[in-house]
Every structure is written in structure tokens, then in C-alpha cells.
Amino acid sequence: MTIRLQILPPQTLPLHSSFKPSQNPNPNPKIPLHHHHHHHHLTATATIISPPPSTATDAGLRFREKLLYLQALNVNPSKALHKNPNFRSAPLSSLKSVENCLSSMGIERSALGRILDMYPRLLTSDPYSDLYPVFDFLLNDAQIPFHDVRKSIIRCPRLLICSVEAQLRPTLRFLDNLGFVGSQSINCQTTVLLVSSVEGTLMPKLNYLMELGFSYEEVRRMVLRSPGLLTFSIANNYRPKMEYFLKEMDGDLVELKRFPQYFSFSLEGKIKPRHRMLVEKGFRLSLPEMLKVSDGEFHARLIEMRMRVLDERVLR
């Protein structure tokens, strides 16, 4: 006789206790088992829950419990299994210890699910050897206020899988030397820089800007004013925008020093269309005037400039 185990829906499966089959095959004592009308239904239930589950079934239930736990957190179970094979054998209690550790830093459940889905290896991390050292580093070395550590992690969950000694501390030292100190110190907005490699990412960007003709001191001032400059790709961001600025806009480096935020605007979405409109009308605007305003304000400014030209013609 094959026994099929009835799997309960998520809301009825208790997450904290392991599933135990009922000892009483008759859940409602008021209805005798031999009652003619309910006969088929109740004997079926009795055969399902009376035999003690085998060890294999126990393991299957425990695994199912973990999958339900992931689904409740909005984590994709098949992606988690594929990217972290250790998840299969990890006990549910260890997954919960990761959740408790992250929630102790103020990370709410919705954000937690997104973080674990992004980095499934965190599911089997050890809070004491893997996660608390990162929090300790952010609080004591980077001196991020406790209530901002949550913002840092939510903005850049990759911090949680970085080695403090091999990655975070050397990068913090480099950024300190660059001038990220005092009022410019690393904060929850700029902790994202800590996951960058000094040799592979940060130095090449500084060198690229110096090759354009900026001095080290000028580049330093630019990145302190616009830390996002250190996160942009040379191939996809700097080169195409620089080429357009120098060739099409006939731009001057002095202007970029004054407004390094130029690199944070979309080339196709904002820089090119606005510059072309200005060229068509024969107008010129500084980079901040051209880029910082909303579309509505930009068009209003164009109309204003055209009216001024017409007025001048009339006055002549």
C-alpha cells in the first residue's frame, strides 16, 4: 500500500516545530469512524496520518519547510539552490539565525528577502564569523551611525559578502587618503564605494581623469564633490560622454571641473537631445543650466531665449 503524505498549505505548516503526525486518527470525536456518510473521507485521512513517517519523509518535510520559509521571504528557491548548494543541507534554524542577525540591525523582512535573493550564499552564512564583523567594521572603522548601517546594507547588500580584511579595510584606507575624511567622510550614501577594488576599479578611474588633462588635486576635488564618479564605467560612461563633450559640444575641461556631475546625466536621454535643441536654435548654455533643470523648465528657458532674441530684433 502506498502512503501519500498530505502536505499542508504554507499558512498551516508551523515554521518553528517539526511536523508531527496526529496520534488521534479521528480528529472529531463527535463523529464515529464507522458513520456511514463520512466513511470514505475519514478512513482516507486515517491511512494518511497514522503510520509513523520514515526518516526520508522527515527529511522531505524539513526541506519543504525551508522552501516555504524562502517563499514567505520572496526568495526564489530554485535560484537559491542553484547558487548555494549548501542550502539543501542547512537546518532551518541556521537560516533563521541569519534573519535574526540582519533584523537586529533594523533590516525589515521585505528588504531581507531582496538581499537574500540577490546573494543566496548569505542563506548559509555564519552570523558570528561572516556578518557581525562587517557590522563591526561599518560601525567602528567607517564610523557609520547605527541607524544608518541599515541604509548602507539596503543600498549595497554586497557589503555583507565582502571580506573585512581583504576588501573593506584597504579600500577605506585608500578613500581616507583621497580625502574622504571629516565632513566628507564615508556615509550611508557612499559606503557603496567600499566594495570597489582599489587596483581594479578606483585607480583606473582616477588615472583616466588625469589623462584627460586634470591634475591629481583637481580630480580629488571632483570625486569628493561627486563621489558617484568613482562608480561609473570608463567604457560605458566616461569615454562616450567625454567624446561627445569634446567633439560635438566643443567643451572646455574648466567647465567639467566646475560641474563634474555632467557624467551622471544620461548621454542619450538628456545630454544629446538638449544640446541638439540648443544648437538648432543657435543658443549656448552652461552645463548646469543645460542639465540640472527639469524638461519643462528647459523648454521654458528655450522659449524665453527665443523671445529675447525677437525683442532685440524689434528694438533694433
Side-chain angles (χ1 to χ4, degrees), residues 26 56 146 154 168 174 196 205 233 262 278 281 287:
N26 183 5
F146 179 83
I154 287 172
L168 301 177
F174 176 82
S196 303
K205 284 166 195 177
S233 148
Y262 164 78
L278 288 169
K281 309 281 186 287
L287 288 179

Side-chain angles (χ1 to χ4, degrees), residues 150-168:
R150 174 190 154 273
K151 291 182 199 163
S152 295
I153 300 294
I154 287 172
R155 199 170 287 244
C156 180
R158 196 170 141 202
L159 285 162
L160 294 174
I161 58 166
C162 284
S163 152
V164 171
E165 296 311 321
Q167 169 63 49
L168 301 177

Side-chain angles (χ1 to χ4, degrees), residues 14 32 40 52 72 85 118 138 144 155 162 214 253 258 264 278 282 288:
H40 299 295
M118 213 183 288
L138 291 172
I144 306 293
R155 199 170 287 244
C162 284
F214 294 114
L253 286 184
R258 280 202 296 263
S264 60
L278 288 169

Side-chain angles (χ1 to χ4, degrees), residues 66-310:
K66 287 194 296 187
L67 295 186
L68 291 174
Y69 175 72
L70 289 194
Q71 282 165 350
L73 284 171
N74 278 333
V75 176
N76 178 339
S78 53
K79 177 183 167 187
L81 276 164
H82 173 66
K83 293 207 167 174
N84 184 354
N86 296 337
F87 167 72
R88 191 174 283 282
S89 56
L92 183 59
S93 58
S94 78
L95 305 185
K96 289 187 174 166
S97 70
V98 171
E99 178 182 359
N100 293 338
C101 167
L102 295 175
S103 62
S104 73
M105 297 306 289
I107 293 165
E108 52 278 344
R109 240 178 164 223
S110 53
L112 179 79
R114 192 177 58 81
I115 291 167
L116 295 176
D117 193 60
M118 213 183 288
Y119 295 107
R121 65 187 259 194
L122 287 169
L123 286 165
T124 54
S125 60
D126 174 349
Y128 289 92
S129 58
D130 304 326
L131 302 177
Y132 286 121
V134 173
F135 296 143
D136 184 59
F137 167 83
L138 291 172
L139 288 164
N140 298 312
D141 296 63
Q143 299 198 318
I144 306 293
F146 179 83
H147 57 269
D148 279 351
V149 170
R150 174 190 154 273
K151 291 182 199 163
S152 295
I153 300 294
I154 287 172
R155 199 170 287 244
C156 180
R158 196 170 141 202
L159 285 162
L160 294 174
I161 58 166
C162 284
S163 152
V164 171
E165 296 311 321
Q167 169 63 49
L168 301 177
R169 193 164 281 129
T171 306
L172 179 65
R173 207 171 296 129
F174 176 82
L175 293 168
D176 277 354
N177 292 334
L178 198 57
F180 284 91
V181 288
S183 62
Q184 304 279 2
S185 283
I186 292 295
N187 57 36
C188 59
Q189 249 93 26
T190 49
T191 36
V192 61
L193 297 176
L194 295 170
V195 303
S196 303
S197 145
V198 171
E199 301 300 323
T201 305
L202 302 176
M203 282 305 297
K205 284 166 195 177
L206 299 175
N207 290 334
Y208 175 79
L209 290 168
M210 287 191 280
E211 281 159 22
L212 292 175
F214 294 114
S215 70
Y216 174 74
E217 198 43 49
E218 286 165 339
V219 170
R220 214 174 68 81
R221 279 204 294 272
M222 280 165 70
V223 299
L224 288 173
R225 189 170 344 141
S226 266
L229 291 174
L230 291 171
T231 64
F232 299 146
S233 148
I234 292 177
N236 304 328
N237 190 317
Y238 281 117
R239 276 207 191 99
K241 286 179 189 174
M242 206 57 222
E243 208 168 286
Y244 190 80
F245 179 74
L246 295 173
K247 289 185 181 167
E248 302 295 321
M249 296 172 72
D250 195 22
D252 181 350
L253 286 184
V254 175
E255 216 181 340
L256 278 188
K257 267 177 235 174
R258 280 202 296 263
F259 191 68
Q261 298 96 309
Y262 164 78
F263 293 105
S264 60
F265 291 95
S266 157
L267 184 58
E268 298 302 327
K270 197 162 266 190
I271 298 170
K272 282 184 181 179
R274 289 194 178 183
H275 175 249
R276 284 177 186 150
M277 273 186 244
L278 288 169
V279 170
E280 272 169 34
K281 309 281 186 287
F283 298 137
R284 241 195 123 97
L285 283 174
S286 71
L287 288 179
E289 288 176 312
M290 171 179 137
L291 296 170
K292 273 175 97 169
V293 295
S294 68
D295 285 345
E297 284 175 83
F298 180 75
H299 290 295
R301 194 165 283 180
L302 276 185
I303 291 166
E304 207 179 287
M305 287 158 79
R306 280 166 66 193
M307 297 301 282
R308 206 174 302 142
V309 169
L310 292 172

